Amino acid sequence: EIVLTQSPATLSLSPGERATLSCRASQSVSSYLAWYQQKPGQAPRLLIYDASNRAAGIPARFSGSGSGTDFTLTISSLEPEDFAVYYCQQRSNWPLALTFGGGTKVEIK
Amino acid sequence: EVQLVESGGGLVQPGGSLRLSCAASGFTFSSSVMTWVRQAPGKGLEWVSGLSGSIDSAFYADSVKGRFTISRDISKTTLYLQMNSLRAEDTAIYYCARWLVTAIPHWGQGTLVTVSS
């Protein structure tokens, strides 16, 4: 079973700053990694799929990179609405399954 | 527009059963891979179960295998999750979602299941 480890657990930043979130897989997941944003009381929203592709309607300040076991989500300049919890997720082929990381909370400093 | 609307959550005693429903619209339900993801209060996301398109093969997390059953009714475009032998640790918001290849672009609003005596 592949384990996803996200770091840091909490990131304290100010609006306008750059946010760099990490997701590390216990074994290679190729480029099959996605990132989600979740705000309190809301369902998760897909930001990035296949490591670096922005989902529909996602602003260009969000970018993803990486392959194999190490992945990064970058928010180039934090907007007030970006303070939220972010999760990474990978898909296993057999048996078919999804795994989520533990999450990184981006909070206002 | 893709819409996923869950229902059926509520309070149930340990050992009890509950069936969640998810009404789907705005996409080809019959051939889509559908999934359930849950989130315990104050915790992260946990994948629960998936149902592949066309051949309807079902997959489960180890934590629910043998207790939960995922299914769909194509005529009603509705996804189900039958949950038996419920435990306190099954308490969570359950999200219905549409799984596209490697990620989940469409989520319902969630339904809360509370297992408590």
Side-chain angles (χ1 to χ4, degrees):
Chain A
E1 178 189 341
I2 296 176
V3 176
L4 298 178
T5 302
Q6 291 188 242
S7 62
T10 304
L11 199 52
S12 299
L13 296 168
S14 301
E17 288 193 294
R18 181 184 190 89
T20 303
L21 288 66
S22 173
C23 178
R24 177 163 290 178
S26 58
Q27 58 185 279
S28 177
V29 299
S30 185
S31 293
Y32 298 147
L33 191 100
W35 290 94
Y36 300 84
Q37 177 194 68
Q38 188 179 33
K39 297 179 181 179
Q42 296 184 16
R45 176 174 72 144
L46 177 65
L47 300 175
I48 302 288
Y49 65 95
D50 292 349
S52 60
N53 297 295
R54 270 191 303 277
I58 301 304
R61 64 180 181 273
F62 291 93
S63 64
S65 63
S67 66
T69 60
D70 290 301
F71 298 86
T72 301
L73 174 70
T74 301
I75 310 171
S76 59
S77 177
L78 283 164
E79 297 287 340
E81 61 268 27
D82 298 336
F83 292 92
V85 179
Y86 293 82
Y87 295 95
C88 59
Q89 166 257 307
Q90 70 87 26
R91 181 199 82 172
S92 302
N93 285 331
W94 191 261
L96 193 61
L98 297 175
T99 305
F100 291 92
T104 290
K105 181 180 182 180
V106 178
E107 65 177 23
I108 300 176
K109 186 174 181 180
Chain B
E1 179 193 4
V2 172
Q3 285 200 321
L4 299 166
V5 180
E6 303 95 334
S7 60
L11 176 64
V12 61
Q13 292 188 338
S17 298
L18 210 56
R19 187 177 82 158
L20 305 183
S21 300
C22 171
S25 61
F27 62 99
T28 307
F29 179 73
S30 58
S31 60
S32 292
V33 180
M34 300 298 296
T35 190
W36 290 95
V37 176
R38 69 184 180 185
Q39 186 169 36
K43 303 296 184 183
L45 301 170
E46 179 188 15
W47 177 75
V48 173
S49 180
L51 190 64
S52 66
S54 302
I55 58 174
D56 266 8
S57 293
F59 300 87
Y60 301 95
D62 288 344
S63 58
V64 306
K65 202 171 293 183
R67 301 187 298 123
F68 290 12
T69 303
I70 189 173
S71 63
R72 77 171 99 204
D73 184 327
I74 293 173
S75 65
K76 296 181 179 178
T77 63
T78 299
L79 180 73
Y80 301 102
L81 185 67
Q82 177 67 43
M83 304 185 295
N84 298 330
S85 302
L86 283 161
R87 307 166 181 167
E89 55 264 35
D90 295 318
T91 294
I93 295 172
Y94 284 73
Y95 295 101
C96 163
R98 182 187 181 206
W99 179 352
L100 273 182
V101 190
T102 57
I104 303 176
H106 305 121
W107 298 72
Q109 84 288 351
T111 187
L112 176 62
V113 172
T114 302
V115 183
S116 175
S117 54

